[in-house]
């Protein structure tokens, strides 16, 4: 918050107005999950690259 010079309340309001993860996934043509280990991410990318 200090970096952007916004108040706590404004930061909370901005976060509350963002789309949910599910909303983003519905409109995406490709979803890459980088919350797991690197090997999993690389596997996803290999599969995606096969389709484009």
């Amino acid at each position: 918050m200090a970096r952007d010079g916004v108040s706590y309340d404004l930061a909370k309001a901005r976060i509350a107005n963002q789309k949910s993860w599910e909303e983003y996934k519905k409109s995406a043509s490709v979803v890459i999950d980088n919350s797991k280990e690197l090997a999993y991410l690389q596997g996803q990318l290999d599969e995606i690259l096969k389709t484009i």
Side-chain angles (χ1 to χ4, degrees), residues 2-48:
R3 178 193 74 189
D4 296 330
V6 297
S7 69
Y8 177 80
D9 291 335
L10 181 55
K12 293 279 289 182
R14 287 182 180 178
I15 292 168
N17 285 324
Q18 291 178 352
K19 290 182 183 179
S20 70
W21 176 243
E22 293 302 318
E23 289 175 296
Y24 280 113
K25 285 179 13 179
K26 286 179 188 174
S27 62
S29 56
V30 175
V31 175
I32 300 171
D33 178 4
N34 68 344
S35 66
K36 299 179 182 177
E37 68 278 351
L38 182 57
Y40 180 78
L41 176 61
Q42 289 172 328
Q44 288 181 91
L45 294 175
D46 289 341
E47 292 302 313
I48 291 166

